[in-house]
Amino acid sequence: MTLKQFLKPDWRKILIFVILLIISTFIGYNEANCMSFGGGCTHSYGFPFTIYSIHQSAYMPSPLPKTTHFNPTFIIPNIIIWYLLSCLIIWIYDKFRKR
């Protein structure tokens, strides 16, 4: 199999890519302890690179609103990684199916 065949889109690769991209977009993690004194809590979303983050003050009720930061520069690397992974999954599936 050549690299061109490996990367050529088909419906299975696109379907797996879309599923992986949607799931990875909603994977979130905390960058700071939400209960820290005087600080805040930042929830970041996107995997493997953070696409957007939400910062909230640690004080309840907070005088500051939630702030959202969208980082569009990491969308392209995420798309490349998930498409390559979907190509790899289909390639492995086809290898084992032929046996």
Side-chain angles (χ1 to χ4, degrees):
M1 173 180 278
T2 65
L3 183 62
K4 186 176 179 180
Q5 291 171 334
F6 179 77
L7 296 175
K8 183 179 178 184
D10 69 2
W11 69 271
R12 299 176 304 165
K13 291 177 187 174
I14 294 171
L15 179 67
I16 292 174
F17 163 72
V18 169
I19 291 169
L20 289 173
L21 190 64
I22 289 171
I23 290 171
S24 71
T25 301
F26 294 109
I27 293 176
Y29 58 92
N30 293 334
E31 291 183 359
N33 186 358
C34 291
M35 302 305 282
S36 63
F37 180 76
C41 184
T42 302
H43 300 282
S44 298
Y45 296 95
F47 182 81
F49 300 108
T50 300
I51 296 173
Y52 64 93
S53 59
I54 301 170
H55 181 76
Q56 184 177 14
S57 175
Y59 298 110
M60 298 303 243
S62 174
L64 300 173
K66 291 181 182 179
T67 56
T68 303
H69 176 70
F70 177 70
N71 192 351
T73 58
F74 290 134
I75 291 174
I76 299 299
N78 280 348
I79 288 173
I80 292 170
I81 288 170
W82 293 123
Y83 185 73
L84 290 175
L85 185 64
S86 69
C87 291
L88 183 64
I89 289 170
I90 294 299
W91 179 75
I92 291 171
Y93 174 77
D94 287 342
K95 279 287 212 198
F96 284 113
R97 190 182 70 179
K98 288 180 183 177
R99 290 186 179 184

